[in-house]
Amino acid sequence: AYNYPHVTVGYWSLYRVARHISPPPTKRAGWRWYLEQAGRTAVAMHTFGGRGTSQWGLMVGSIFVAVLADLRREGLTALADELEAIKERRMRKWMSMLFPYGSEFPWDSTGHEEIHSWLLHDGKVADANKTVQAVLAYSTVVPHWAYCGSARRYWDFTINGKTQWGNEREFHHYGATLNAVAVLDSFRAFPERHYLLQLGACALLGHLSNIHPSGAYSMAWHGDPGLLRRDGFSGDYGPGVYGYWRSAAAYVACMPPFGWSCFLCDLAVEGEAGGGAASASAAKACDAGANLRVTPRDAFGRRAYLAPLGLTVTVEGGRLVEVELQPRGRRAVLRVAVHERARSSEASVFLEVERRDGRAPAPTSAYSCAYDEAAYPCSGRKAGAFVVPLRVGEPTRVILQASASGSVPAS
């Protein structure tokens, strides 16, 4: 069963590329075929993957949640229903356990990512929190690049490593970023739990330290004092890259006593309505009337989480180069550019309100979309996303405005 998520990721990625880059670079088939293949592979995991392993949470298994969402968006209802039924059977197994995060070994920590994703998807928040608490038991926030966010793992060098010195501590093995999926999903649902953002950001950034200067991957960093270097084999670095991609975003939140903060991004806090730099006291007080100018610095530049709105913005087919957030006005202005390595004439902008503490000021349906100084409405929907045109040399300015009333939480 552990092989099926990786193949599913391949098909699903080709679906997204074929669907949201125009003209599509895929030549052998259209987007619908790739999405159906992703769905069938996910179903085949349960049918052919072996009862012993398919009942547990799988590494990279959170991709099944994304596949189900796209099957629903695209109207492939029969296949979506089949995948949902399989999820329900697996869910019954997990919910029969005292701690719903089972994996292939009693001591392992690789099942948390998928199980937490499904639990949160189904609104089982208390059970999802048990999974997060398990991650917190062996991942810590400490001021050290190797330890912060790094899951406690000791044995994988003896399985996949080039240098094998026995039961040795590994830093930022793939388990770190997969665990960060549960941690950061939980933060986006409850953005006042600031330590989750700190821990998750540590895990994401630490994993990138396992890339050699040449660009080659290493499975982990050797923690033995006699080594303290990257391993010579890539091993199972791939699931770690997936974990990074799954959570990489510009995270904007209010974090007392520091005030407005930005993780994996740069932040400039301006006075209300863009009237120059805000005072230090206003920035630390998280004034909802401030104008927050965010520059993404993660490796992909395709997603931003705006905690005051509880809103996640995801861009497909383009690159997110800046976000201007006005919390009090419930307004976000995106600057979306043509991606230099995947040129597209248009981009898809997905919105999702992930905040679950009842304090999100507006649902996704309350947002309107326009571009070029609000002169033109975004041209319809594609798979649930707003569609905006792109042009070479100048980013498209996309305005997202919520019409619903309600207070804006400080965080």
Side-chain angles (χ1 to χ4, degrees):
Y2 289 94
N3 294 319
Y4 286 81
H6 311 302
V7 181
T8 302
V9 166
Y11 283 128
W12 181 82
S13 299
L14 289 169
Y15 151 70
R16 299 285 280 200
V17 165
R19 186 65 160 130
H20 298 291
I21 293 180
S22 183
T26 51
K27 305 299 181 185
R28 292 183 177 270
W31 64 263
R32 184 184 181 96
W33 185 87
Y34 289 115
L35 179 56
E36 289 179 335
Q37 286 297 102
R40 292 191 182 110
T41 305
V43 169
M45 178 279 299
H46 188 267
T47 307
F48 304 107
R51 182 179 178 184
T53 52
S54 64
Q55 64 181 325
W56 305 122
L58 306 177
M59 294 88 85
V60 187
S62 59
I63 190 62
F64 298 146
V65 184
V67 170
L68 178 62
D70 280 323
L71 290 173
R72 295 285 186 209
R73 289 190 187 107
E74 302 286 13
L76 299 176
T77 306
L79 189 52
D81 289 345
E82 192 173 359
L83 181 55
E84 187 104 43
I86 290 172
K87 180 264 296 181
E88 290 295 335
R89 289 196 290 271
R90 299 173 74 206
M91 182 71 73
R92 285 194 291 271
K93 173 67 176 181
W94 302 334
M95 297 310 295
S96 70
M97 303 165 63
L98 180 60
F99 301 106
Y101 46 78
S103 186
E104 58 181 327
F105 305 123
W107 64 85
D108 210 345
S109 58
T110 53
H112 302 63
E113 162 237 344
E114 184 194 2
I115 291 177
H116 183 273
S117 297
W118 281 124
L119 290 170
L120 210 56
H121 173 272
D122 282 13
K124 301 181 187 300
V125 175
D127 295 296
N129 189 56
K130 289 182 182 179
T131 309
V132 173
Q133 294 302 317
V135 175
L136 295 179
Y138 56 77
S139 298
T140 55
V141 177
V142 293
H144 190 284
W145 72 269
Y147 288 94
C148 188
S150 189
R152 292 178 64 84
R153 300 186 70 94
Y154 288 91
W155 55 87
D156 290 85
F157 284 134
T158 63
I159 303 171
N160 294 318
K162 181 177 182 179
T163 302
Q164 301 182 11
W165 278 21
N167 203 21
E168 178 194 355
R169 176 70 187 264
E170 304 160 18
F171 290 126
H172 295 297
H173 185 257
Y174 76 87
T177 57
L178 289 189
N179 290 159
V181 171
V183 168
L184 289 170
D185 281 6
S186 184
F187 168 76
R188 294 194 300 275
F190 301 96
E192 292 186 354
R193 301 171 69 183
H194 306 132
Y195 58 91
L196 295 179
L197 177 56
Q198 294 173 297
L199 179 64
C202 276
L204 297 187
L205 292 171
H207 193 68
L208 296 184
S209 67
N210 289 329
I211 301 176
H212 287 273
S214 66
Y217 295 146
S218 171
M219 63 173 288
W221 189 279
H222 283 277
D224 190 291
L227 293 172
L228 295 179
R229 58 171 172 78
R230 301 176 185 92
D231 191 73
F233 284 170
S234 60
D236 36 19
Y237 187 85
V241 175
Y242 169 86
Y244 181 92
W245 164 84
R246 174 66 167 68
S247 299
Y251 288 86
V252 184
C254 173
M255 295 182 62
F258 308 108
W260 291 118
S261 301
C262 204
F263 283 65
L264 307 184
C265 46
D266 294 338
L267 175 65
V269 182
E270 302 171 346
E272 193 160 1
S279 67
S281 59
K284 287 190 174 183
C286 294
D287 180 10
N291 192 72
L292 310 179
R293 196 172 296 275
V294 179
T295 304
R297 296 298 184 195
D298 65 279
F300 295 106
R302 57 182 294 275
R303 187 186 295 121
Y305 175 71
L306 312 176
L309 304 181
L311 180 70
T312 299
V313 179
T314 302
V315 173
E316 295 280 12
R319 185 168 56 87
L320 187 60
V321 295
E322 187 181 74
V323 180
E324 184 181 334
L325 172 63
Q326 298 169 11
R328 181 172 294 161
R330 304 177 190 86
R331 176 184 175 96
V333 180
L334 320 177
R335 291 177 67 239
V336 182
V338 173
H339 199 291
E340 54 272 15
R341 297 192 177 184
R343 295 179 180 270
S344 176
S345 62
E346 62 184 30
S348 302
V349 179
F350 288 87
L351 306 182
E352 182 180 4
V353 173
E354 295 191 71
R355 188 162 187 157
R356 292 173 178 261
D357 60 2
R359 302 182 66 198
T364 305
S365 59
Y367 285 88
S368 62
C369 177
Y371 65 94
D372 285 351
E373 307 304 327
Y376 306 100
C378 299
S379 56
R381 295 290 187 109
K382 178 193 290 186
F386 292 113
V387 179
V388 297
L390 299 179
R391 48 186 175 266
V392 176
E394 181 183 0
T396 299
R397 196 166 181 266
V398 182
I399 299 97
L400 304 173
Q401 179 68 59
S403 59
S405 60
S407 61
V408 178
S411 60

